Amino acid sequence: SLSGFKRLLPLKGWGNARDVRKFWEEVMQNRADRVMSSNAVCIEKQITLEDVKKAIDVKIAARLGSTSCTHTTLTRTDPFEPLSRLYRMEAVRAKLQQLQNTFILAQKDGDEAPPLGHFVFVGSPGTGKTTVARVMADILFELGLIGRKHVEETTGLNLTGEYLGHTKKKVEEQLDNSRGGILFIDEAYNMGKGTFGMEACDTLVGAMTDPQYASVVVVIAGYPSDINQMLETNPGLKSRFTHTLEFPDWCPRDCLDFFLSKVQEKKYKIDDDAKMVLEKGFKELIRLNGWGNARDVDAVWKAVMRFRADRVIKHKLEGERRFTEKDVAQGMASLIKGRQLAEGVMAPRRITCDEEASSNKILDAPSPFFSVPSFCQPTTSNLSSHRHEEITLTDLDENQPSSVAIDEDVAKITPTKEKMEKQTKTEFAKHENENPAEKNASASIRDPDVSDAVWDELQAAKEAESLHEAKLRAEEEERRQIEYALKEEMAKQAVKEAHEAKLREIQRQREQAELKRREKERIQQRLRKIGNCPMGFQWSQVSGGWRCGGGSHFVTDSELHRHFSYSE
């Protein structure tokens, strides 16, 4: 029953002795039902563990607003089962199992359970942090360390308010919703930014030492460097997180394995050539900004499914559950092209995967059926007369937009079309004059049987490709200018808001000072009306009342209240 009360107390609505009395009545009812159902001749005067467990479950279910409580009936034998659907979870799983074993052994030895503490999850998006938080809620609940299987999910930005006092209210609301469970704060590093972010950190530190929130397990998550920087801003916050779980990024082999597991789960088939294209695509996608690990693999799956649907419907192949090389190439190309347009440039990314070296051997092997050029930087040389027969990832997605729409606020600082065209021509001229030797070396030799019309068309195509490359460089420069201007504008806005806030605070202090001055003047007038000081000295407030400037006359607070119904 003690562990049951530990689960009940953190929940809202705990009524102390009233709830204990109701719990007793529930236990006695369970005992009566058990004895009567057994058809025993003598009524036993004994309360069993089952009587108590049923009463606890009913009380918790009623408090949570559900019709039943499942604490004594596990929904699955292995609480770690959801982790099997993720990759590179070995270290995370080992840490959670170690935590579980520590508390199980303490229970068996009859020792006091060690402090549970709070957790830091560090890793990139899509590495399974939220999933692990939910798994951890199941484990802690089954150990009786938290009152319910509940994870309150929020973000650091959502915990920061918009005005003074708003942040504290928002943090406390999330803490109240998390009683008896886990408060999961994703992108928690936003709490360490700005005045309101610091207020959120301070409120969280106070709550983690407040007895009324003792039942809440706090988990913060985000990028390692950002989380460390946030914790450094508040030493009190850093000392209260006793567990750190690291979530590594996925490598191309992890992505391929996850994709193939979905193929098998959905009972599809996939061509061997498609697997090679898939792994090559993941290798390029990982190097782009905004890589989302499992989230992006799922996005690739959905894109491939769309292109497969187009092919099946177009060629009337209903019933065929297969992914072709072209399905995969088109789906991967659409995602990579969209990411390039959104990010502007390809950002190198360190891949920490033991299988990377071995996977490169597979990726570099040429396919006899499919030529896979670089996804991000297609070459403009080595043109072949058989190019129309060659499938490339960039050729398969011609309907994608060539530019990204710019928000109205950004449009104000965007260069004009004429300026862009001029910049493109400048870039092209610069490119033409940079390496003349290299340009001459790469010039193609005209075959004897090529007509003038065909040759002129080929040269025009080459020039168009060069202009396109120059345009891409100009667009990248434009993006950088816009980004710089936006940062300047945001900095100015932040300074302006801070100045306005300071002016409002000064005005508030002035108003308070004026109110105090007026109140003191009213008191002085009332004291003069009493007439105890014939010299007309100024009165000063002292302990227990007011004394005139000469020191010989004194009016108590009670006397002042009796004359004017006033007290400080």
Side-chain angles (χ1 to χ4, degrees):
S1 60
L2 180 59
S3 62
F5 283 126
K6 286 182 179 179
R7 293 165 54 204
L8 268 173
L9 262 62
L11 303 181
K12 288 184 178 181
W14 171 248
N16 298 297
R18 186 185 307 110
D19 272 356
V20 176
R21 184 174 63 252
K22 291 181 180 179
F23 171 70
W24 168 258
E25 294 172 355
E26 189 69 36
V27 170
M28 295 305 294
Q29 181 63 49
N30 292 338
R31 173 187 171 276
D33 292 341
R34 175 177 53 80
V35 171
M36 296 303 295
S37 63
S38 65
N39 297 321
V41 177
C42 297
I43 301 177
E44 59 168 329
K45 292 186 176 180
Q46 182 180 4
I47 296 174
T48 66
L49 180 62
E50 191 65 25
D51 298 335
V52 175
K53 283 185 176 181
K54 286 183 179 179
I56 287 290
D57 288 346
V58 169
K59 293 296 294 179
I60 291 179
R63 194 60 49 81
L64 295 177
S66 58
T67 56
S68 63
C69 185
T70 59
H71 186 268
T72 58
T73 304
L74 300 180
T75 56
R76 53 176 175 265
T77 57
D78 183 12
F80 296 98
E81 188 271 333
L83 297 183
S84 64
R85 297 194 295 269
L86 299 175
Y87 291 87
R88 314 196 74 183
M89 283 286 121
E90 294 80 9
V92 173
R93 185 181 183 117
K95 179 74 174 180
L96 292 179
Q97 284 179 328
Q98 183 186 57
L99 184 67
Q100 183 188 44
N101 294 337
T102 301
F103 283 96
I104 290 176
L105 186 60
Q107 290 176 351
K108 289 183 178 180
D109 293 343
D111 297 333
E112 184 179 355
L116 180 57
H118 305 280
F119 295 77
V120 178
F121 289 0
V122 292
S124 303
T127 50
K129 297 187 293 294
T130 305
T131 300
V132 171
R134 294 166 184 164
V135 171
M136 194 169 70
D138 291 350
I139 296 171
L140 298 181
F141 176 77
E142 290 164 8
L143 289 172
L145 300 176
I146 58 177
R148 54 179 178 150
K149 292 182 181 180
H150 177 71
V151 179
E152 188 71 20
E153 299 175 20
T154 185
T155 63
L157 188 61
N158 189 46
L159 293 180
T160 56
E162 300 175 358
Y163 50 84
L164 194 63
H166 189 214
T167 296
K168 183 178 180 180
K169 181 179 179 181
K170 295 186 74 172
V171 175
E172 290 178 346
E173 284 178 355
Q174 295 292 334
L175 288 166
D176 288 335
N177 295 336
S178 307
R179 288 179 187 268
I182 292 177
L183 174 59
F184 179 74
I185 308 173
D186 200 6
E187 299 177 352
Y189 45 82
N190 285 314
M191 291 193 301
K193 299 177 180 178
T195 304
F196 297 141
M198 296 301 296
E199 184 182 0
C201 285
D202 294 339
T203 305
L204 192 61
V205 170
M208 292 166 77
T209 56
D210 192 333
Q212 68 173 322
Y213 297 121
S215 64
V216 178
V217 177
V218 179
V219 179
I220 61 174
Y223 291 104
S225 58
D226 294 330
I227 287 291
N228 290 335
Q229 186 177 359
M230 183 204 73
L231 293 176
E232 290 296 336
T233 62
N234 194 315
L237 186 63
K238 184 177 183 179
S239 63
R240 283 165 177 79
F241 288 98
T242 54
H243 307 282
T244 300
L245 299 182
E246 297 182 1
F247 295 76
D249 286 334
W250 287 21
C251 69
R253 177 58 64 178
D254 296 324
C255 301
L256 179 62
D257 290 344
F258 183 74
F259 191 96
L260 295 180
S261 69
K262 292 189 67 125
V263 171
Q264 186 176 5
E265 179 186 353
K266 303 294 183 181
K267 297 181 178 179
Y268 285 95
K269 294 181 180 180
I270 183 169
D271 296 346
D272 290 339
D273 294 336
K275 296 178 184 179
M276 296 183 64
V277 175
L278 199 61
E279 192 169 6
K280 179 73 173 181
F282 282 129
K283 185 177 181 181
E284 295 293 342
L285 188 60
I286 285 174
R287 295 179 62 82
L288 294 176
N289 289 334
W291 167 242
N293 293 286
R295 200 172 301 152
D296 272 356
V297 178
D298 188 60
V300 171
W301 170 268
K302 293 176 181 177
V304 172
M305 287 291 290
R306 289 195 298 270
F307 284 102
R308 172 190 169 273
D310 289 343
R311 177 181 59 81
V312 169
I313 296 300
K314 181 178 180 181
H315 298 287
K316 299 180 180 179
L317 300 174
E318 289 82 354
E320 180 195 77
R321 300 181 65 82
R322 182 173 67 95
F323 292 117
T324 66
E325 185 180 13
K326 187 174 180 180
D327 297 336
V328 172
Q330 288 178 314
M332 185 66 76
S334 66
L335 195 66
I336 290 178
K337 189 170 183 180
R339 186 65 53 82
Q340 287 175 329
L341 290 173
E343 298 298 333
V345 292
M346 184 176 73
R349 183 184 182 86
R350 182 176 63 87
I351 303 173
T352 56
C353 179
D354 296 335
E355 298 173 307
E356 181 66 9
S358 60
S359 67
N360 282 340
K361 297 178 181 179
I362 299 175
L363 297 178
D364 294 336
S367 169
F369 305 104
F370 190 73
S371 175
V372 187
S374 172
F375 287 91
C376 304
Q377 296 177 348
T379 180
T380 60
S381 60
N382 300 328
L383 295 175
S384 171
S385 59
H386 300 286
R387 193 180 189 281
H388 62 280
E389 298 177 0
E390 182 181 281
I391 305 173
T392 63
L393 298 181
T394 52
D395 292 337
L396 293 173
D397 193 19
E398 297 294 338
N399 296 326
Q400 292 292 331
S402 59
S403 60
V404 179
I406 302 174
D407 188 82
E408 291 181 0
D409 293 335
V410 181
K412 294 187 293 185
I413 55 175
T414 303
T416 62
K417 180 179 179 181
E418 291 77 9
K419 184 177 179 180
M420 274 297 302
E421 290 178 352
K422 182 179 179 181
Q423 190 173 5
T424 300
K425 292 178 179 178
T426 303
E427 287 287 338
F428 176 63
K430 180 181 178 182
H431 176 68
E432 287 289 302
N433 296 327
E434 271 181 353
N435 299 306
E438 182 180 344
K439 178 184 173 183
N440 293 332
S442 62
S444 301
I445 300 175
R446 181 173 176 175
D447 294 335
D449 298 333
V450 177
S451 65
D452 291 341
V454 172
W455 182 255
D456 292 342
E457 182 183 9
L458 178 59
Q459 297 307 311
K462 291 180 179 180
E463 184 177 355
E465 289 175 352
S466 298
L467 282 171
H468 178 68
E469 291 179 356
K471 181 180 179 182
L472 290 178
R473 290 192 294 271
E475 287 177 349
E476 167 59 15
E477 181 62 27
E478 174 197 0
R479 186 190 68 81
R480 291 177 181 174
Q481 292 177 5
I482 292 173
E483 191 177 75
Y484 178 76
L486 281 175
K487 288 181 180 179
E488 281 193 333
E489 190 67 26
M490 291 173 65
K492 291 179 181 178
Q493 184 65 22
V495 172
K496 181 181 178 182
E497 291 176 356
H499 180 66
E500 291 176 350
K502 186 175 181 180
L503 290 178
R504 288 194 297 270
E505 179 63 19
I506 293 174
Q507 181 63 25
R508 185 186 64 81
Q509 293 176 0
R510 287 176 178 172
E511 292 174 353
Q512 289 183 348
E514 179 63 19
L515 288 174
K516 291 181 180 179
R517 186 192 64 78
R518 292 178 181 177
E519 188 63 31
K520 188 173 182 180
E521 180 63 30
R522 284 196 294 270
I523 294 173
Q524 295 288 341
Q525 293 175 1
R526 292 170 181 174
L527 288 169
R528 283 193 288 270
K529 287 181 180 179
I530 294 176
N532 290 4
C533 181
M535 300 301 295
F537 288 121
Q538 185 79 6
W539 294 80
S540 299
Q541 189 175 18
V542 295
S543 177
W546 295 77
R547 187 170 296 279
C548 73
S552 59
H553 301 97
F554 179 76
V555 176
T556 65
D557 288 333
S558 59
E559 186 178 0
L560 185 65
H561 176 72
R562 187 169 59 253
H563 279 80
F564 297 99
S565 297
Y566 171 85
S567 64
E568 276 290 293

